[in-house]
């Protein structure tokens, strides 16, 4: 587990503690190396006396699975030095994008290539699903937190040919842990509590190309998305409100049917009964995605709202789910199936 | 002040306490009549020993200005019995909509007609501004909280002919006081804290026709809006993320110029410097609107984000501002010009 | 599981879902009987389609373990009708107090007697520990949430004879879920967020006699406690600040030694390393208790601070822990050993 | 206004903006000098285009009143260079303590002496009140935020001879703005929200000697206090729970009478009606103190709970109140008399 001092790393450790098949090996960090884990993550009581080791190939050697939760630009070199048969699950952005051009437009480090994309439930074209590419893989790129909630919300409609590729608009609210542990004034509790604010407005957020990649694959044509993220006064959770124009002649009931069919057999994605709406509190600490779909008939638009925990299904839960698939274990093993509410 | 027991009523009283020209007369309520105001609004210390009177024509008689903060459907009958020269400021929905059809589509009570619409800064067609209709008026309908933030965000673009009338999408997050003091399980602190959730999805929110009325007037053509409100874990504030397609050939700099021109002389509406983004915490308790405008060139869309306090500029501040205009006082009198932050 | 519609009931179900040895049988409620569980507890996704049955002896029959999470006064009659060899774990107050006089002074229903007190880690006199009374018991009274945090904080000092029995002062802050799901104005999100307030001041809180019972047993003499609970703007968690006078001549190092010895082998109670302080966020969703002890030498007082999750270790976790003990299972089975943070 | 970039400085500016007699002169800071005020305090809209000047004698020269909101140890040298007839109001700790020994025990800079203590309402011995020392003063030390809430809570009882000087215990919860704007991990929103934690446990908090100084003066004998501060998940507010032993033979009604008499004529300190309890939300942004007193007859202890806004009455409001007194203005001028709630 490399990059264990951050919020994503802490959440991976929390899940691994409850996993019946994984033992926690080396736990590494960069600037926090040498510290007690109990000081960095006081909630991980059973690991309190572990000491963080430096993140090097040596400390990571000898494990069956290596989880990387590093700032972008650091995973490539490290992964290249790990044996091919070690399962490497990267929670960073480095290997998510298939297009070098898209990478270069949004990131400042060299393009590292792409790995199988770790969103097992993602509907693809012609009834395919992303899971197929993940079983037995030894390198997997865990999706970004926003792309997880947003892609799962809209992909069923694109895969079913119900949505137009233009004028897709997404506004999402994220808890503050999505911004990490960095010491920035606008992330102080005094500033955050009682306040909502946007950031990365106007198309600049790095998750935009990843969302478009997922939806374009489902649609079989290029989909563009106006995406605005906002910061909400809560530690965890993403609520994504996603709207798109319906293709003319789209039947109302076919909309609901498309979404329900896409996730009928999924253990972690739930289309709620009509009249219920997702709330981020319902999925805190769990690997679930809650979805609801509505049609605004007057405007001919669909509105899909999804709720995830950015740290669990949005990062660490997906990482463990992918590791399960990579190793041929039951996909749901060790993953919480209920949120911690209220 | 009728309807003083709710959050809007409490906020009007808070502002009146600091107003140099108003004395607080009768303070009335329905089911809370007979209670000490100190029990209902413990923050209004100077009024703690006042007793709430019942809301009747008799208790409201003899005042120069009457503020109504009642559930919709109650203002009409009451206002009809007040003398024509008494200034009546209605914070409810009853007199906001000019179209009986729009009213009937969204409300369950009889259409009561429309009063001058109390959003002084709202840009109209041909350089007009709503303020002109309010000076000296004796009946004014205070806008809804969402329509205030959203209309001010988008109207400059429509008035300047820069935006297309279709595929306007708005997602807004409101603090819980916007839902009032009603005892509903989903409004309990245990449910609200740490959670974001949507409501009124799919075009059903009653503020939609009011938003469309405002934008259509500015545009000179019918504008339709996809509007999704969400509930945020904070007591006050609305952050509205508003996006629309730019007319082809729209010059980037002309976008910014249009917004800056619209509000250059407004005391309560501020287009922030480039690089700064609104945060609801910055406007808590104040009558200010903070705006920022961005263009997503790739998509040809504008994204405008506004922050208001739903109880102040969104309701009570607007009510006092309108009363000032109605009485020929300085428009800004008694209105807080700085937010309570952090 | 009787009383499943409340927060305590929901938390018991959440824990049972992850328990390797329990299957969830009937799930019952009073006024919510007939509702989908998914509507009442949307976070319990795997149980969403279960329907709440009425709480009767018939619906509860045929289970090996019955958890009761009912308002006080309801457990006695129900338990009397369940077979003696069925394990009944009562999360209510009915069977916690050994003194009928204490019960009558604080409660308005008839005294029902007392059951073995379900706080396994509680130090008693002469090196005894409460766990001894629970193995194989078929009736267990789960402690109140405040008494759990407070008794574990102070009992080691009383058991070791280090503390004076007078001038014990405790001030505790609880998350709002401790007040349950009742629809009271002061529990609305708008009122709770951003606010701290006390309640039950002046000795009136019903948990006071339970705390004194626990500490008196440890001390071997009557201990009296000044206890003030406060409501904090968070859904879960209790932080208890507990102070007592040290017996004259008490050696500093003996204080720390007493606490460390009391919990050295406990899986769920942790005395933090010197310099670290408990935070409720660290124990959210977990069965852990975090403690720290300081001595104010100038005043000759000890200050002990404890953090628990009121719904987990404070109620539902303790219930499952007691059920494990009653059935001869491993005490820690199915209980989360790490908090959900941040 | 020196030290304008912090939370205390921002609050002073917010109050001065609404003050009818003060114009805001130079606004200075240390490391933020040169920045736009709109970037540092986006809520202070009318000052947005002001630029922060460096904190020097030169920039502060030529004002009738100078407010200092600096880290401790900086006020002395600066004040010494300002003319004697300039009113200097120091919000830091430098001049609060009358005892050099007490200063040296808790602070790491040289003792600077003491100025008149700026808590006008503080009851002293023999019916005296602190206000008498402040009218016309040209140097005033604004109290710390905790000492304000705690001293006002307990001093009436000591001044009236009703309380014992030993075993006074205070536990207080403060909003995060009390910890300032410093970039420390435990102040991040992700860490703070949903969490309560203590700090400075065991007598180490610097406000302890200031509290004891105030209470000892009222009592006419040395009073010692066990004080534990905790951090609450809210931006503003202090709730202090203060308990002390009643002198034997103290009559119940005499307790209430003592507190009510002490504050009967105070505009900013309110003893609530019996049955009502203070809540920090009620005083947010206002200069009010809300108090309630209860007697625990069984234990012979009094419990007094106070609520203040740490930034307003706890710092900036007190500063403006003192400036009013120093200049011979009406004491309440420009000070908000109602909280911003909900």
């Amino acid at each position: 587990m490399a990059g264990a001092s951050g919020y994503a790393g802490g959440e991976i450790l929390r899940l691994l503690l409850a996993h019946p098949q994984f033992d926690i090996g080396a736990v590494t960090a960069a600037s926090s190396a040498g510290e007690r884990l109990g000081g960095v993550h006081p909630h991980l009581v059973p690991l309190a006396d572990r000491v963080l080791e430096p993140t090097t190939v040596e400390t990571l050697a000898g494990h069956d699975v290596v989880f990387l939760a590093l700032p972008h630009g650091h995973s490539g070199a490290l992964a290249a030095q790990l044996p091919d048969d070690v399962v490497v699950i990267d929670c960073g952005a480095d290997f998510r994008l298939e297009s070098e051009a898209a990478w270069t437009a949004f990131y400042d480090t060299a393009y590292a290539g792409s790995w199988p994309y770790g969103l097992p439930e993602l509907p693809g074209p012609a009834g395919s699903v992303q899971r197929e590419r993940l079983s037995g893989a030894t390198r997997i790129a865990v999706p970004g937190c926003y792309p997880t909630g947003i892609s799962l919300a809209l992909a069923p409609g694109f895969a079913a040919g119900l949505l137009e590729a233009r004028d897709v608009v997404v506004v999402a609210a994220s808890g503050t842990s999505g911004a990490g542990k960095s010491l920035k004034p606008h992330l102080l509790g005094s500033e955050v509590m009682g306040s909502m604010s946007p950031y990365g407005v106007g198309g600049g957020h790095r998750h935009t190309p990843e969302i478009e990649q997922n939806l374009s694959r489902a649609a079989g044509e290029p989909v563009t998305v106006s995406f605005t993220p906002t910061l909400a006064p809560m530690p965890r959770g993403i609520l994504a409100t996603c709207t798109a124009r319906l293709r003319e002649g789209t039947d109302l009931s076919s909309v609901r049917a498309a979404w329900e069919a896409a996730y009928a057999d999924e253990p972690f994605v739930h289309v709620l009964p009509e009249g219920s709406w997702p709330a981020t509190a319902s999925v805190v600490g769990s690997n679930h995605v809650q979805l609801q779909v509505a049609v605004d008939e007057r405007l001919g638009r669909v509105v899909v709202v999804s709720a995830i925990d950015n740290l669990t299904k949005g990062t660490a839960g997906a990482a463990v789910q992918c590791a399960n698939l990579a190793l041929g274990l039951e996909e749901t093993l060790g993953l919480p199936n209920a949120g911690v509410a209220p």
Side-chain angles (χ1 to χ4, degrees), chain A:
Chain A
M1 164 74 259
S5 60
Y7 290 142
E11 184 74 351
I12 291 175
L13 292 172
R14 183 179 76 86
L15 296 177
L16 293 181
L17 275 170
H19 197 287
Q21 295 282 338
F22 289 138
D23 291 322
I24 297 173
V27 177
T28 78
S31 62
S32 303
E35 293 186 29
R36 275 181 78 247
L37 201 59
V40 176
H41 294 304
H43 62 297
L44 300 177
V45 178
L47 301 174
D49 292 328
R50 289 276 197 113
V51 173
L52 286 161
E53 302 178 58
T55 299
T56 63
V57 177
E58 288 68 35
T59 56
L60 296 176
H63 300 86
D64 299 326
V65 185
V66 173
F67 294 96
L68 306 178
L70 307 170
H72 78 265
H74 288 71
S75 301
L78 205 60
Q81 298 176 69
L82 294 168
D84 286 353
D85 61 343
V86 168
V87 172
V88 181
I89 310 287
D90 184 22
C91 297
D94 296 39
F95 297 100
R96 291 176 192 156
L97 295 184
E98 293 168 9
S99 153
E100 181 165 355
W103 175 270
T104 308
F106 284 86
Y107 291 92
D108 51 2
T109 56
Y111 181 59
S114 77
W115 287 356
Y117 187 75
L119 191 50
E121 305 89 346
L122 186 68
S128 68
V129 66
Q130 183 66 10
R131 178 175 293 110
E132 301 154 8
R133 309 185 185 192
L134 300 172
S135 296
T138 58
R139 295 288 185 276
I140 296 180
V142 173
C145 51
Y146 284 119
T148 296
I150 295 164
S151 303
L152 292 174
L154 287 175
F158 284 110
L162 304 178
L163 304 179
E164 292 192 18
R166 276 199 57 191
D167 293 307
V168 181
V169 175
V170 176
V171 178
S174 173
T176 53
S177 62
K181 242 185 198 174
S182 49
L183 295 175
K184 295 176 185 161
H186 77 284
L187 296 178
L188 283 175
S190 297
E191 306 287 326
V192 162
M193 289 185 283
S195 197
M196 296 268 326
S197 57
Y199 61 99
V201 189
H205 196 278
R206 285 168 170 169
H207 283 172
T208 303
E210 188 181 339
I211 297 165
E212 294 183 344
Q213 172 178 292
N214 292 344
L215 299 182
S216 298
R217 183 191 290 142
E221 63 172 324
V223 174
T224 53
V225 177
S226 163
F227 168 50
T228 305
T230 65
L231 195 65
M234 56 190 191
R236 287 178 176 233
I238 289 178
L239 188 86
T241 302
C242 313
T243 88
R245 249 194 288 164
L246 287 167
R247 287 240 165 104
E248 217 152 313
T250 302
D251 186 56
L252 225 89
S253 63
S254 63
V255 166
R256 195 160 182 91
W259 265 263
E260 287 181 343
Y263 300 125
D265 299 327
E266 288 298 341
F268 292 126
V269 187
H270 293 82
V271 181
L272 294 173
E274 288 189 71
S276 296
W277 288 94
T280 59
S282 295
V283 296
V284 165
S286 96
N287 207 46
H288 281 294
V289 184
Q290 293 198 340
L291 289 178
Q292 185 52 288
V293 191
V295 169
D296 190 331
E297 287 184 81
R298 202 173 52 99
L299 306 180
R301 293 188 75 96
V302 72
V303 184
V304 193
V305 181
S306 68
I308 65 166
D309 183 322
N310 57 303
L311 289 181
T312 321
K313 181 59 179 167
T315 309
V320 172
Q321 188 179 355
C322 289
N324 287 342
L325 282 167
L327 295 171
L329 301 171
E330 198 188 342
E331 186 175 338
T332 59
L333 215 61
L335 290 165
N337 57 7
V340 179

